[in-house]
């Protein structure tokens, strides 16, 4: 089917959105939130004739969903982008300038991920302009809070469902099929408080944590030597926060440690917990004064999709058409909302534009790749939704 991407619309929409401050208010008290940009997106969706739902689920926090209804009997596809950005402190360019230079568009959120959201809207517009009616529904979803707690996508997946999804986070136009998850653990060692002179009474919780840390250091090195996931890399961990003792002349009664363990597809919370618990059990066996507890406090699952999944094949073929070569399949070391969408039973891949400077002083997106993205999203919707 023949369609065209309206390039002026795509660039203008990206620029408009970069010029709207949507910094995440959970990251900084001065964060603007998603209400203003959400209203802008709802208006663009309304112009296209989509069924628009605006969900201001907390002050300044907003999800906006636009559905291009299918004629029935086809598979549905959900496209996802987040509306929020990280903060702008320390930026060396105008964060809300949206300046165009050398085929790039500059500003906070240019690549992460307002250009992607504009490409989703441009894909919807291409279908509408060309009078193409899909059999399955196409859902354009713009969500809040990806940069902090993923409140937006958590809410989205309870209310909307599709057969497959594309998360348009920046991937440099590679087909991202896997990423790691993480688990935050709390470890506490217990001692006995005593006057610093009373070595027969005091039990030092900090020293005991030291024994645990020495073993953890070994484990950390071993994890990196383990067989890495082919796309997402090896598992890893770090001892992020450590606190123990109350004053210089008292034996430390408690020591707490917070560990971040990054997981790869196939690893489970229970399996990783058991591995850490085994260290504690071994140390307790060696010394009856060693007492410690371990608990997983918060986690996000890793994500993976087979290259044979229908959505992966549809994106791969559309991407190959557009790029004129087979696309690169990749993985990421960090976590994304794709895991939540995938857990909710939608087959999910990630695909987004080329650029640089995510979360840094100078962020830009390459406009050629944003146009490519809009073509690929449109083509995939036609192939997948029928
Ligand atoms: Zn992002």
């Amino acid at each position: 089917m023949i369609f065209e991407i309206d390039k002026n619309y795509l660039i203008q929409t990206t620029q408009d959105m970069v010029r709207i401050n949507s910094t995440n208010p959970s990251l900084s008290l001065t964060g603007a939130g998603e209400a203003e940009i959400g209203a802008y997106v709802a208006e663009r969706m309304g112009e296209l004739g989509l069924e628009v739902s605006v969900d201001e689920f907390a002050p300044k926090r907003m999800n906006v969903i636009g559905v291009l209804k299918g004629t029935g009997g086809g598979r549905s596809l959900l496209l996802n982008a987040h509306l929020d950005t990280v903060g702008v402190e320390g930026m060396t360019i105008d964060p809300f300038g949206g300046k165009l230079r050398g085929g790039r568009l500059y500003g906070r959120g240019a690549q992460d991920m307002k250009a992607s959201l504009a490409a989703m809207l441009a894909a919807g517009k291409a279908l509408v302009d060309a009078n193409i009616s899909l059999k399955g529904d196409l859902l354009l979803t713009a969500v809040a809070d990806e940069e902090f707690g993923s409140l937006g996508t958590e809410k989205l997946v309870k209310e909307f469902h599709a057969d497959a999804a594309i998360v348009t986070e920046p991937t440099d136009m590679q087909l991202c099929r896997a990423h790691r998850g993480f688990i935050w653990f709390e470890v506490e060692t217990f001692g006995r408080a005593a006057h610093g002179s009373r070595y027969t009474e005091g039990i030092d919780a900090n020293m005991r944590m030291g024994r645990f840390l020495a073993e953890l250091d070994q484990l950390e090195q071993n994890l990196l030597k383990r067989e890495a996931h082919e796309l997402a890399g090896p598992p890893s961990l770090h001892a992020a926060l450590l606190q123990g003792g109350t004053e210089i002349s008292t034996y430390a009664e408690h020591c707490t440690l917070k560990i971040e363990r990054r997981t790869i597809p196939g690893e489970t919370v229970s399996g990783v917990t058991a591995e850490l618990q085994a260290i504690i059990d071994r140390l307790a066996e060696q010394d009856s004064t060693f007492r410690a507890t371990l608990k997983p406090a918060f986690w996000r699952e890793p994500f993976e999709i087979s290259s044979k999944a229908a959505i992966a094949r549809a994106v791969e073929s559309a991407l190959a058409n557009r790029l004129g070569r087979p696309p690169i399949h990749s993985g990421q070391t960090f976590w994304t909302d794709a895991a939540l969408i995938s857990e909710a039973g939608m087959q999910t891949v990630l695909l987004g534009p080329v650029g640089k400077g995510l979360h840094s002083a100078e962020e830009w997106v390459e406009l050629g790749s944003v146009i490519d993205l809009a073509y690929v999203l449109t083509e995939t919707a036609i192939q997948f939704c029928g």
Side-chain angles (χ1 to χ4, degrees):
M1 274 178 261
I2 310 284
F3 64 86
E4 270 307 318
I5 295 299
D6 183 339
K7 296 185 183 93
N8 291 331
Y9 172 89
L10 175 53
I11 294 166
Q12 187 63 57
T13 308
T14 308
Q15 201 168 37
D16 289 349
M17 290 195 286
V18 168
R19 287 174 176 164
I20 300 172
N21 178 351
S22 63
T23 46
N24 189 313
S26 300
L27 290 172
S28 150
L29 286 175
T30 58
E34 297 90 3
E36 188 185 348
I37 193 169
Y40 174 88
V41 171
E43 204 180 311
R44 294 286 83 74
M45 287 175 173
E47 283 167 5
L48 299 177
L50 309 187
E51 259 174 36
V52 185
S53 343
V54 173
D55 180 8
E56 189 163 8
F57 60 84
K60 302 202 285 188
R61 312 315 303 267
M62 196 182 276
N63 280 353
V64 182
I65 291 94
V67 181
L68 182 62
K69 286 298 275 181
T71 54
R75 292 179 294 197
S76 54
L77 177 63
L78 183 151
L79 306 181
N80 177 266
H82 58 82
L83 291 163
D84 60 318
T85 70
V86 292
V88 299
E89 296 75 24
M91 287 190 78
T92 52
I93 55 165
D94 179 358
F96 309 116
K99 197 181 257 177
L100 297 167
R101 187 159 32 98
R104 297 172 176 176
L105 193 150
Y106 286 80
R108 175 58 82 229
Q111 190 192 14
D112 185 16
M113 56 185 299
K114 293 175 175 179
S116 299
L117 179 52
M120 285 163 43
L121 291 165
K125 184 170 190 295
L127 294 168
V128 171
D129 287 350
N131 258 320
I132 297 171
S133 36
L134 304 174
K135 290 194 183 116
D137 293 349
L138 178 66
L139 291 77
L140 308 186
T141 67
V143 299
D145 196 43
E146 191 277 342
E147 297 290 3
F148 183 72
S150 292
L151 295 173
T153 291
E154 278 193 325
K155 197 154 187 304
L156 173 77
V157 298
K158 289 189 188 122
E159 294 160 3
F160 291 86
H161 195 271
D163 293 306
I166 305 173
V167 174
T168 57
E169 286 278 9
T171 65
D172 289 328
M173 292 306 278
Q174 298 178 356
L175 176 54
C176 173
R177 292 196 292 104
H179 65 60
R180 302 195 301 174
F182 63 87
I183 311 170
W184 291 341
F185 285 101
E186 289 172 15
V187 179
E188 185 168 8
T189 50
F190 302 92
R192 187 194 297 138
H195 188 274
S197 67
R198 297 197 176 263
Y199 54 86
T200 55
E201 288 169 27
I203 296 176
D204 190 330
N206 287 344
M207 292 288 206
R208 276 146 190 82
M209 186 60 85
R211 296 177 199 170
F212 179 81
L213 279 168
E215 295 263 344
L216 195 67
D217 188 25
Q218 280 298 315
L219 175 63
E220 191 259 342
Q221 292 168 45
N222 290 337
L223 288 181
L224 298 177
K225 286 183 214 144
R226 263 184 208 171
E227 195 182 343
H229 183 271
E230 54 164 345
L231 298 171
S236 63
L237 69 79
H238 60 115
L241 294 163
L242 187 59
Q243 192 167 36
T246 49
E247 58 186 20
I248 183 74
S249 58
T250 301
Y251 275 75
E253 192 169 20
H254 297 277
C255 184
T256 59
L257 165 68
K258 291 185 180 175
I259 303 169
E260 185 178 69
R261 170 70 155 80
R262 295 281 170 160
T263 55
I264 62 173
E267 288 190 312
T268 61
V269 176
S270 62
V272 171
T273 305
E275 189 171 64
L276 291 170
Q277 185 62 45
I279 296 179
I280 291 176
D281 294 348
R282 200 159 57 239
L283 291 169
E285 235 167 69
Q286 289 164 10
D287 176 359
S288 61
T289 69
F290 184 91
R291 285 200 304 126
T293 57
L294 165 78
K295 76 166 194 275
F298 182 77
W299 60 87
R300 292 295 195 187
E301 298 289 346
F303 152 77
E304 182 175 32
I305 184 173
S306 159
S307 61
K308 296 186 182 72
I311 187 62
R313 286 209 315 263
V315 172
E316 170 156 53
S317 110
L319 194 51
N321 278 345
R322 182 70 196 167
L323 300 177
R325 58 167 171 82
I328 297 168
H329 291 232
S330 65
Q332 298 289 2
T333 55
F334 52 78
W335 183 87
T336 78
D337 276 1
L340 293 176
I341 297 173
S342 170
E343 277 167 59
M346 297 174 240
Q347 295 215 307
T348 305
V349 297
L350 294 119
L351 177 71
V354 177
K356 218 173 174 175
L358 278 79
H359 303 203
S360 350
E362 186 183 282
E363 180 178 349
W364 54 267
V365 69
E366 189 193 286
L367 289 169
S369 73
V370 183
I371 294 165
D372 287 344
L373 177 63
Y375 272 100
V376 172
L377 294 176
T378 314
E379 176 83 36
T380 304
I382 292 168
Q383 282 189 32
F384 189 83
C385 303

